[in-house]
């Protein structure tokens, strides 16, 4: 369980040694249970990436505390264990790949754990097969597409056998094809590992167990995707946009209040609701 | 025609064993004041194409004509072409280098020899065009701005060259819905009030639906489909074949058609889709 208790954070200006007390996180309390698939939504600058970086002690709260399975990120001696438990994948795939072949890149983490050769190989195979990149093992990473690179980055994290996978805007620099690859990978991971996916693409929240929304450093809503998509007016004030499917359903529902007993959140749900009811 | 490509072919690493053919016999014409969207899967040649528009690349075969004159490597008046056609790269904020917003946005015209008085007017106009306030931002360090603001400063620094056409590669990549709306809104003003020709490269049909009038689809270095936006977007199956994801509204309309309802597939917005569903399904059921 990842637990945030009244966490506040602000960035300080290193040059002038001044603390800029604009709270990027403002007393955030959040719990992510083991095995959950949670999506965190929020506009640019809402504090969601700052929150992500607290999950494995890259940032330490200025007030409040973050614990991972009871380990406090504030205590430096916990960080090694915390970082084995929580794997982070960032926005830009080019900043996360270090080796000259896919294989070497994915094996880098396990090698540094000092694992025996057979175990490293086993983990490499396992991670490559989960992200479906076995056929690219000898490729040079710079020859891959954005989506493929990001899958390699995820494989590198999975090879460390983390219990929590945090994706910090891992889809925001990808084309629609690459985004689709990552989203279907996340759906496959669902259940086997805790996934905390941070994004501003609301449609990526459709399959989540739980959706959280941040704005101006605060947690402003939590619920199932359907509950969140029902908050149409708030979604706009949070700087987000409903998926076109749900927006269409909303427009129809305004005129025909009884049309949808539950709000459709996927294309199939919308089409089924209208075709099957006839 | 403002921009014309006539049987243009281009290869990277030509005459080496690594030669990659990026454009194959491409013909296209873009008129003044138009807004054209270029779309296609990664590696289809769309960025290579746009770099021919302002003489960053020259064709191996065929001709590029800008405003009637042919662009050739040795003879072309490149300065003039690049002033006429402003190219905004992907993530243009990565290219910001000046220490103040004013310095950044005035860099281009100052190098063209513009005098101080006019320089200030131009910077003011360019910042205004992207929705940024001159007085509050001119002395600011661009690196301290938010991502969305930096993007707009970068676009302003191209606009300050007063280009007649603006070519933008993924102008809203990585921006949230608000940032996107802001950029597209400003681009529309530029087109409608100042007559600026817009060429926008994007991966997203939903985004292009907000601004483009005509769409060019590329695949494997060729233009494979071209036409008014509604005509293109309704060809759901063809689009998928070329690796382009049709907008959600068109996909949903197509799904209804499969189930026997004659919905119009040229719907671009949720409003239009809702109207179609209302007319063709709900009302008919009542009647």
């Amino acid at each position: 369980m990842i637990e945030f208790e009244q966490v506040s954070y602000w960035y300080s200006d290193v040059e002038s040694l001044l603390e800029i007390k604009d709270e990027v996180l403002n007393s955030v309390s959040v719990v992510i249970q083991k095995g959950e698939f949670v999506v965190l939504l929020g506009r640019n600058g809402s504090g969601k990436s700052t929150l992500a970086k607290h999950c494995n002690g890259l940032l330490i709260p200025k007030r409040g505390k973050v614990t991972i399975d009871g380990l406090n990120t504030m205590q430096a001696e916990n960080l090694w264990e915390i970082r084995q438990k929580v794997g982070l994948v960032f926005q830009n795939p080019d900043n996360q790949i270090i080796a000259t072949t896919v294989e070497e890149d994915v094996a880098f983490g396990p090698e540094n754990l000092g694992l025996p050769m057979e175990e490293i190989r086993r983990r490499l195979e396992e991670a490559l097969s989960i992200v479906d990149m076995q056929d690219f093992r000898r490729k040079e990473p710079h020859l891959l597409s954005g989506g493929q690179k990001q899958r390699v980055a995820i494989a590198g994290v999975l090879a460390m056998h983390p219990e929590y996978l945090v994706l910090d805007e891992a889809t925001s620099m990808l084309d629609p094809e690459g985004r689709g690859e990552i989203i279907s990978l996340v759906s496959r991971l669902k259940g086997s590992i805790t996934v905390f996916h941070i994004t501003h693409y609301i449609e990526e929240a459709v399959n989540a167990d739980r959706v959280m929304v941040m704005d101006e450093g605060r947690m402003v809503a939590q619920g199932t995707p359907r509950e969140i998509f029902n908050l149409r007016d708030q979604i706009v004030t949070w700087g987000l946009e409903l998926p076109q499917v749900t927006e269409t359903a909303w427009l129809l529902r305004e005129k025909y209040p009884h049309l949808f007993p539950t709000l459709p959140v996927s294309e199939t749900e919308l089409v089924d609701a209208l075709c099957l009811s006839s | 025609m403002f921009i014309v490509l006539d049987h243009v072919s281009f290869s990277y690493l030509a005459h080496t064993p690594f030669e990659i053919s990026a454009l194959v016999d491409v013909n296209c014409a873009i008129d003044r004041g138009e807004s054209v969207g270029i779309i296609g899967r990664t590696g289809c040649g769309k960025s290579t194409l746009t770099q021919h528009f302002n003489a960053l690349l020259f064709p191996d075969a065929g001709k590029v004509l800008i405003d009637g004159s042919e662009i050739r490597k040795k003879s072309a008046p490149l300065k003039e072409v690049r002033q006429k056609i402003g190219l905004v790269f992907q993530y243009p904020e990565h290219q910001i280098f000046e220490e103040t917003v004013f310095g950044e946005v005035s860099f281009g015209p100052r190098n063209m020899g513009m005098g101080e008085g006019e320089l200030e007017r131009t910077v003011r106009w360019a910042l205004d065009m992207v929705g940024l306030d001159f007085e509050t931002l001119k002395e600011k360090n661009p690196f301290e701005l938010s991502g969305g603001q930096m993007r707009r400063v970068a676009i302003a620094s191209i606009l300050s060259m007063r280009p007649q056409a603006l070519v933008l590669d993924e102008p809203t990549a990585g921006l949230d819905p608000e940032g996107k709306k802001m950029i597209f809104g400003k681009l529309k003003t530029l087109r409608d009030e100042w007559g600026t020709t817009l060429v926008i490269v994007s991966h997203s049909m939903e985004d292009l639906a907000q601004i483009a009038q005509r769409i060019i689809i590329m695949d494997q270095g060729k233009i494979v489909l071209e036409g008014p936006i509604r005509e293109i977007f309704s060809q759901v199956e063809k689009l998928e074949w070329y690796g382009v994801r049709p907008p959600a509204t068109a996909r949903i309309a197509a799904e209804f058609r499969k189930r026997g309802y004659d919905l119009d597939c040229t719907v671009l917005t949720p409003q239009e889709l809702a109207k179609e569903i209302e007319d063709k399904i709900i009302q008919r059921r009542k009647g």
Side-chain angles (χ1 to χ4, degrees):
Chain A
M1 178 167 82
I2 299 181
E3 193 173 6
F4 282 68
E5 263 177 75
Q6 310 249 311
V7 173
S8 292
Y9 187 83
W10 52 90
Y11 291 94
S12 8
D13 188 339
V14 186
E15 279 173 30
S16 62
L17 296 170
L18 277 176
E19 297 256 296
I20 306 167
K21 254 203 154 183
D22 269 344
E23 297 199 1
V24 184
L25 293 183
N26 191 336
S27 195
V28 173
S29 297
V30 153
V31 173
I32 294 156
Q33 299 288 352
K34 213 162 223 179
E36 265 193 306
F37 170 28
V38 179
V39 170
L40 172 61
L41 296 169
R43 69 174 109 199
N44 293 139
S46 60
K48 58 192 193 305
S49 272
T50 305
L51 184 93
K53 292 186 182 78
H54 276 81
C55 291
N56 72 347
L58 279 182
L59 295 177
I60 308 293
K62 300 261 170 154
R63 258 204 318 268
K65 66 171 180 179
V66 177
T67 55
I68 287 90
D69 295 337
L71 299 164
N72 192 329
T73 59
M74 203 91 80
Q75 281 151 326
E77 65 271 22
N78 287 339
L79 286 180
W80 178 258
E81 202 180 337
I82 287 171
R83 288 183 185 154
Q84 288 209 339
K85 280 175 181 285
V86 185
L88 228 67
V89 177
F90 299 99
Q91 191 175 37
N92 191 343
D94 291 325
N95 296 346
Q96 300 171 73
I97 293 178
I98 43 163
T100 49
T101 68
V102 166
E103 208 167 53
E104 281 172 33
D105 194 77
V106 176
F108 180 83
E111 276 172 357
N112 279 290
L113 291 178
L115 296 170
M117 204 53 188
E118 312 83 76
E119 175 64 8
I120 295 176
R121 284 199 188 288
R122 210 184 55 73
R123 289 195 181 193
L124 172 69
E125 292 312 313
E126 178 194 66
L128 285 178
S129 93
I130 295 172
V131 303
D132 197 18
M133 287 294 284
Q134 300 101 309
D135 298 343
F136 296 85
R137 62 176 71 235
R138 307 232 185 265
K139 284 255 176 182
E140 294 168 41
H142 71 268
L143 297 174
L144 303 175
S145 73
Q148 290 168 337
K149 281 183 204 166
Q150 204 60 303
R151 274 147 69 199
V152 172
I154 293 175
V157 170
L158 292 178
M160 300 289 281
H161 282 184
E163 294 166 53
Y164 305 91
L165 177 65
V166 180
L167 303 172
D168 182 11
E169 300 210 45
T171 54
S172 79
M173 288 181 88
L174 305 180
D175 60 18
E177 212 171 327
R179 270 173 61 202
E181 289 167 20
I182 301 306
I183 293 311
S184 75
L185 168 60
V186 168
S187 309
R188 273 182 278 142
L189 288 173
K190 197 173 156 177
S192 62
I193 181 174
T194 313
V195 181
F196 187 30
H197 175 46
I198 291 149
T199 180
H200 58 238
Y201 293 112
I202 199 167
E203 58 273 23
E204 293 179 0
V206 171
N207 293 315
D209 295 319
R210 199 150 57 94
V211 182
M212 307 193 283
V213 186
M214 279 191 78
D215 198 27
E216 293 178 344
R218 292 168 194 272
M219 202 54 79
V220 290
Q222 284 193 55
T224 62
R226 213 182 300 279
E227 282 163 359
I228 298 294
F229 290 2
N230 257 305
L231 307 171
R232 189 196 192 191
D233 295 342
Q234 282 106 305
I235 281 175
V236 176
T237 55
W238 297 326
L240 301 169
E241 205 170 37
L242 275 178
Q244 292 196 330
V245 194
T246 316
E247 179 63 24
T248 306
W250 259 102
L251 292 168
L252 289 167
R253 195 161 74 167
E254 275 172 347
K255 250 179 150 171
Y256 308 94
H258 304 297
L259 200 56
F260 304 110
T262 55
L263 182 72
V265 294
S266 71
E267 288 165 28
T268 339
E269 278 184 21
L270 176 75
V271 177
D272 281 351
L274 287 160
C275 294
L276 301 179
S277 65
S278 54
Chain B
M1 283 296 158
F2 191 37
I3 302 173
V4 176
L5 266 66
D6 183 15
H7 296 285
V8 166
S9 294
F10 179 82
S11 300
Y12 288 103
L13 302 167
H15 317 299
T16 76
F18 306 105
E19 179 162 345
I20 301 161
S21 172
L23 294 180
V24 186
D25 196 26
V26 170
N27 291 303
C28 80
I30 293 165
D31 219 346
R32 260 180 207 285
E34 248 195 312
S35 43
V36 179
I38 303 179
I39 193 165
R41 59 161 71 95
T42 305
C44 70
K46 52 193 193 299
S47 293
T48 309
L49 182 74
T50 54
Q51 289 176 45
H52 279 80
F53 292 164
N54 82 338
L56 282 181
L57 294 175
F58 301 91
D60 295 336
K63 283 195 279 195
V64 176
L65 297 150
I66 305 293
D67 214 2
S69 45
E70 190 181 343
I71 307 303
R72 258 174 282 149
K73 206 180 247 171
K74 301 258 163 67
S75 64
L78 298 184
K79 232 180 174 176
E80 196 183 308
V81 171
R82 293 187 183 138
Q83 187 275 319
K84 262 186 200 162
I85 302 196
L87 187 57
V88 180
F89 286 105
Q90 213 178 110
Y91 296 102
E93 62 275 21
H94 293 172
Q95 297 167 40
I96 289 177
F97 57 93
E98 284 277 347
E99 281 172 17
T100 64
V101 168
F102 187 86
E104 184 64 33
V105 180
S106 64
F107 183 83
R110 177 173 281 140
N111 276 300
M112 302 287 279
M114 192 183 275
E116 285 303 320
E118 205 192 338
L119 205 54
E120 190 186 309
R121 269 197 305 280
T122 305
V123 172
R124 201 181 274 276
W125 173 82
L127 285 174
D128 186 42
M129 277 297 109
V130 294
L132 295 173
D133 183 54
F134 176 82
E135 294 301 334
T136 47
L137 285 178
K138 61 179 178 186
E139 294 303 327
K140 278 247 165 101
N141 184 337
F143 296 98
E144 285 170 5
L145 303 177
S146 75
Q149 286 176 322
M150 275 172 81
R151 175 81 48 95
R152 284 186 276 149
V153 168
I155 295 176
S157 67
I158 304 289
L159 282 179
S160 62
M161 298 285 283
R162 292 282 190 162
Q164 297 167 20
L166 203 55
V167 181
L168 307 109
D169 194 351
E170 294 277 1
T172 61
L175 296 186
D176 61 12
E178 247 179 344
K180 249 182 214 182
K181 245 182 242 161
M182 174 61 133
I183 299 252
F184 283 134
K186 293 297 167 190
L187 289 176
K188 261 184 216 162
T189 314
L190 209 56
R191 178 194 65 199
D192 298 342
E193 289 176 18
W194 297 85
T196 310
T197 309
L198 298 176
V199 180
I200 296 159
V201 175
S202 176
H203 282 292
S204 162
M205 286 283 213
E206 281 89 352
D207 286 357
L208 287 180
Q210 293 186 38
I211 188 145
Q213 299 153 329
R214 192 155 66 90
I215 298 287
I216 291 174
I217 296 193
M218 293 196 66
D219 190 36
Q220 297 182 28
K222 290 180 192 154
I223 292 181
V224 288
L225 211 56
E226 196 183 345
I229 190 157
R230 283 176 196 275
E231 239 167 68
I232 299 289
F233 280 8
S234 59
Q235 304 181 43
V236 172
E237 276 157 28
K238 253 194 192 165
L239 292 177
E240 279 168 353
W241 173 258
Y242 294 126
V244 174
R245 199 172 141 84
T249 45
R251 285 200 307 270
I252 296 166
E255 188 57 35
F256 277 118
R257 285 181 77 90
K258 270 191 210 151
R259 309 235 190 152
Y261 297 93
D262 62 336
L263 260 69
D264 183 357
C265 277
T266 64
V267 285
L268 286 184
T269 61
Q271 285 74 15
E272 290 176 13
L273 176 61
K275 182 86 178 52
E276 275 293 299
I277 292 175
E278 197 184 346
D279 292 351
K280 308 269 172 70
I281 301 177
I282 300 170
Q283 290 300 334
R284 279 191 201 172
R285 214 175 271 166
K286 279 187 181 164

